[in-house]
Amino acid sequence: MSGRKRILTVFGTRPEAIKLFPLVHALEADARFDSRVCVSAQHRGMLDQVLEIAGILPHHDLDLMRPDQTLDGLTAALLTGLGKVLDVERPDWVVVQGDTATAMAGALAAYYRKIPVCHVEAGLRSGNIHHPWPEEVNRKIIGTIAALHCAPTETSAVALKRENVDPATIHITGNTVVDALHWIVARVEADPSLAAGLADIEARFAGKRVIGVTSHRRENFGEGMEAIATAIRRLAERGDVALVFPVHLNPNVRKVMNERLVGLDNVALIEPLDYPHFARLIAISTLMLTDSGGVQEEAPALGKPVLVMRETTERPEGVEAGTAKLVGTDADRIVFEAEQLLDDAEAYAAMARAHNPFGDGRSSARIADLLVG
Ligand code: UD1
Ligand code: UDP
């Protein structure tokens, strides 16, 4: 149909898929658009889990994941692979999300063809190019290229203006992660069997307080991961808690966690959960211990305190609201902060408020409207 905007949405990892499926749904349902999807499959299993629950069948799948892939090898393969898809599709817009190698290479390949780029989750900055690494620089590169910057919050919009991005191209849309979370919570409410797979763990740890854990950041590899494992071991010595840790498939994470944590009574090291089950894990957890970006946004939305095992965050909104706390990767500090929440009801109550500084669940509709122009 003439006049329809052809939108090519490009993604490759679990968090991008989670944050872009609501937009893909919105574009597919809207007659103003011809929606096309290209996945790099920078992640494989963890991406496929999201594609399946969201019901997305990509038009292109580059199947690029290699075991323990290097950043340069991955980036080179992405650039050439995505370039070829762009030559075939010739879209009116390329949409990328966040800060991954796929998002950065997708934006660069589009720029090389003078195709305008829409950046979803624009303007997040920690101010330190080594934390998170390499995401801070990926965001800056995409921010230089994008013609449309969908900033989740006022803070991220201000960060872009500080970098002299044309204010007319910056729009505060909210973060699509809230759309995704609302969608999945509604799906599970309608069909609880979608999240029933945690029943064994829930029975095993009945009567204990659950701490949900995730960790995968590259800047934490080595010492940081070791310290996180030490903190988990120490917390697990308490009889009243259980730590449930779906371990990221990156071998650099799995090696340390398997060596240090397997076989402990109060620790369940499990495979990555699909999104309904992960939402359930947050719901049954007393608190979340994480270095993830997305979990920092989801836990506050579900009223769960989140201790962020990082030195800096590009998501200060949760910290400012008092629902998230930066605790770094020192084992003593992690244990101290977690125990404070476990043992001090007042400290816990102060952090355990449902709070949604990142969005209202209608971000995808706003972004779709912007793509018409
Ligand atoms: C990537 C992103 C990071 C994002 C994270 C989300 C980059 C540079 N990094 O990091 O920004 O926060 O995803 O999780 O873009 N693997 C599997 N199966 C999978 C996924 C990964 O086996 O489904 C293993 C593979 O051995 C792969 C390795 O993990 O080589 C690393 O994957 P990669 O996407 O390069 O980096 P992440 O650390 O996952
Ligand atoms: N997540 C999931 N299963 C898991 C762990 C996380 O579905 O076992 C989801 C989580 O809800 C969030 C996203 O994955 O939406 C975060 O991805 P990740 O931590 O890998 O990347 P980051 O957000 O740090 O880039």
Side-chain angles (χ1 to χ4, degrees), residues 42-46 66 68-69 101 135 216 218 248 250:
Q42 169 181 338
H43 283 175
R44 187 71 274 174
M46 285 157 51
R66 299 291 173 267
D68 204 9
Q69 58 210 1
E135 291 81 6
H216 71 84
R218 279 175 192 257
H248 194 284
N250 193 318

Side-chain angles (χ1 to χ4, degrees), residues 121-136:
E121 198 183 81
L124 275 62
R125 296 289 184 272
S126 70
N128 181 338
I129 63 166
H130 301 293
H131 292 265
W133 176 79
E135 291 81 6
E136 178 83 354

Side-chain angles (χ1 to χ4, degrees), residues 245-307:
F245 186 171
V247 185
H248 194 284
L249 293 178
N250 193 318
N252 299 290
V253 182
R254 294 177 84 81
K255 190 168 177 296
V256 177
M257 298 310 168
N258 284 329
E259 280 173 10
R260 304 287 307 275
L261 300 175
V262 135
L264 296 180
D265 281 350
N266 293 342
V267 178
L269 287 186
I270 57 176
E271 293 303 309
L273 294 169
D274 67 14
Y275 199 32
H277 284 96
F278 193 74
R280 172 79 188 154
L281 175 59
I282 300 179
I284 64 168
S285 293
T286 298
L287 66 106
M288 297 298 295
L289 207 49
T290 190
D291 63 9
S292 159
V295 179
Q296 281 178 67
E297 295 155 342
E298 293 163 337
L302 296 176
K304 300 297 171 149
V306 54
L307 297 180

Side-chain angles (χ1 to χ4, degrees), residues 131 214-232 234 257 260 289-292 307-312 325-337:
H131 292 265
T214 79
S215 175
H216 71 84
R217 301 236 60 83
R218 279 175 192 257
E219 68 273 15
N220 285 344
F221 288 174
E223 262 178 46
M225 287 282 158
E226 296 280 345
I228 289 170
T230 301
I232 292 171
R234 283 176 39 198
M257 298 310 168
R260 304 287 307 275
L289 207 49
T290 190
D291 63 9
S292 159
L307 297 180
V308 182
M309 299 183 290
R310 292 169 57 171
E311 308 297 337
T312 58
K325 198 173 210 181
L326 279 181
V327 300
T329 52
D330 176 74
D332 290 340
R333 174 93 197 275
I334 295 169
V335 172
F336 173 83
E337 296 288 353

